[in-house]
Amino acid sequence: MMRAVKGINGSAQLLELPPPEMIPQFVKVKTEYSVVSVGTELMMIQNSGDANLGYSASGIVEEVGEGVTHVVPGQKVACYGVPAHREFLLVPKHLVTPIPEGVTLQEAAFVGIGAIAIHALRQASLSFGEAMIIAGLGILGQVIARIAHAASYRVIGLELMEERCRTLEAVGAKACRSQVELRRLVESDPSWLGADAVMLCASSRKHSMVDDAIGWLRDRGRVVIVGDTGTEFDRDLLFMKEASVHISRAGGPGRYEHTYEQQGVDYPLGYVRWTEGRNMGEFLRLIAEKRIDMQSLITNECALDELPSMYQSCLEKPQQSMGIVVRHGKLKPA
């Protein structure tokens, strides 16, 4: 049996589950670290009677199935797309990526969040020098902002929590604590023409910020919905700017596609340049080349059996919860 944390009837619980059995085109991984996507996982716990939690992890290859050639047993890898808060993972081969030199297991465990962030930025269709507003600076919004800042886009974050604003400002990007502050900032900049794109990274379906986002856009700008947020909007506002609203589906092309994930059939490079698997590799490259700093986003670490109480802490003190890594083994960060 293996230990795992799941959401059961509104609470997170530590359980004993059977370990996964090997199948072709999959990789069995002994988990070393998993990462908590706070907003998404708290919503799953609260809204589902039986929730498989986590989707981003790192570990050591235990066994490879038929058709797997890019990793071998004993290799350090990053994993995405399967329930991550458990001692052993069975992962589709395209969602297992070797960890390059210079990237720690802790940093690599953010690979799923990184792939989602990169795909969301691609959905924004920005060009060099263009401007974006990121509403919601939780862990996903922070990673999007770091990657966008590294790519030399003009980045403004919007977040009510002071601690999260300071985290973004530490990398040189701008952050606003309210919509009033945001309006003052852009009105004071004579070069501001409106946001080319607005990324909505909030995690509450009870409230929609789409109308606000349309107001911040330039003519024919683009709203990208990244978080699990409300999607109601005023058609007239959209019409007046001929704006577009897009939703970003997880880590990129291939997500939820049976042929790609379950059967291991890749998309030809000439037709799909950036699959979710290739986005994972790109995220790790950014860390390895010191283009983005993930270590500064790690605010908490806990053991797997401490994770249920960590979720409660996130509810009670969200301002103190940003990048949460869950330790599964005894291996030190490397």
Side-chain angles (χ1 to χ4, degrees):
M1 301 295 283
M2 68 173 181
R3 295 182 305 158
V5 173
K6 294 185 65 175
I8 304 293
N9 297 325
S11 67
Q13 299 181 23
L14 182 68
L15 305 173
E16 293 282 337
L17 299 178
E21 297 183 4
M22 178 54 60
I23 56 177
Q25 308 298 335
F26 276 68
V27 180
K28 185 176 181 180
V29 176
K30 184 181 184 299
T31 314
E32 293 296 341
Y33 291 97
S34 56
V35 165
V36 179
S37 182
V38 178
T40 299
E41 292 179 36
L42 288 178
M43 185 179 296
M44 291 176 67
I45 292 169
Q46 294 165 352
N47 297 337
S48 175
D50 186 1
N52 291 311
L53 301 172
Y55 56 78
S56 189
S58 64
I60 309 298
V61 175
E62 283 272 309
E63 186 179 355
V64 299
E66 179 185 349
V68 177
T69 59
H70 71 299
V71 295
V72 297
Q75 190 169 3
K76 297 177 183 178
V77 293
C79 310
Y80 168 50
V82 298
H85 302 319
R86 48 189 63 189
E87 290 183 297
F88 291 95
L89 310 176
L90 190 64
V91 192
K93 72 177 185 181
H94 292 315
L95 302 185
V96 177
T97 303
I99 299 176
E101 291 291 328
V103 179
T104 69
L105 282 161
Q106 281 186 328
E107 293 169 325
F110 285 88
V111 70
I113 292 172
I116 292 170
I118 286 174
H119 181 59
L121 275 172
R122 298 194 196 286
Q123 294 295 90
S125 297
L126 293 172
S127 297
F128 177 80
E130 291 188 333
M132 63 187 305
I133 293 172
I134 302 171
L137 295 177
I139 184 62
L140 182 55
Q142 294 281 350
V143 175
I144 291 174
R146 274 167 158 71
I147 297 172
H149 185 65
S152 295
Y153 301 140
R154 298 176 66 185
V155 179
I156 301 175
L158 176 64
E159 170 61 56
L160 299 178
M161 295 185 194
E162 174 66 24
E163 294 84 355
R164 294 180 177 182
C165 289
R166 289 202 300 264
T167 297
L168 179 58
E169 290 170 337
V171 300
K174 296 178 180 178
C176 297
R177 281 76 174 164
S178 67
Q179 293 197 34
V180 172
E181 185 179 345
L182 174 63
R183 183 172 64 252
R184 290 173 179 166
L185 175 64
V186 299
E187 288 178 351
S188 67
D189 183 353
S191 68
W192 182 260
L193 304 174
D196 297 284
V198 175
M199 319 291 287
L200 296 180
C201 299
S203 293
S204 173
R205 293 192 181 186
K206 295 179 181 179
H207 178 63
S208 172
M209 293 186 67
V210 178
D211 286 350
D212 296 321
I214 294 170
W216 302 328
L217 289 175
R218 63 164 170 80
D219 191 57
R220 297 188 182 184
R222 175 176 293 214
V223 177
V224 181
I225 298 170
V226 187
D228 196 351
T229 185
T231 55
E232 296 80 12
F233 60 87
D234 185 326
R235 180 192 179 279
D236 291 341
L237 292 177
L238 198 70
F239 175 82
M240 289 304 295
K241 286 193 174 177
E242 200 172 357
S244 57
V245 178
H246 299 256
I247 194 160
S248 183
R249 187 172 65 185
R255 191 68 182 121
Y256 310 115
E257 169 56 46
H258 181 82
T259 302
Y260 178 87
E261 292 191 341
Q262 304 301 313
Q263 297 180 5
V265 179
D266 201 359
Y267 293 119
L269 187 65
Y271 291 91
V272 182
R273 176 63 182 91
W274 293 107
T275 61
E276 56 180 337
R278 292 193 265 272
N279 282 337
M280 291 169 63
E282 180 65 8
F283 175 70
L284 296 181
R285 180 188 72 84
L286 291 173
I287 299 174
E289 296 183 0
K290 311 300 181 187
R291 304 299 180 95
I292 59 172
D293 172 25
M294 291 303 300
Q295 203 68 43
S296 64
L297 285 178
I298 299 175
T299 56
N300 308 81
E301 181 179 325
C302 68
L304 181 62
D305 57 4
E306 298 169 333
L307 181 54
S309 61
M310 178 62 74
Y311 285 122
Q312 188 61 36
S313 296
C314 292
L315 281 171
E316 296 171 355
K317 300 177 181 179
Q319 71 277 9
Q320 297 178 12
S321 307
M322 177 64 68
I324 302 173
V325 292
V326 182
R327 185 178 63 255
H328 294 248
K330 298 180 180 179
L331 192 63
K332 295 180 180 180

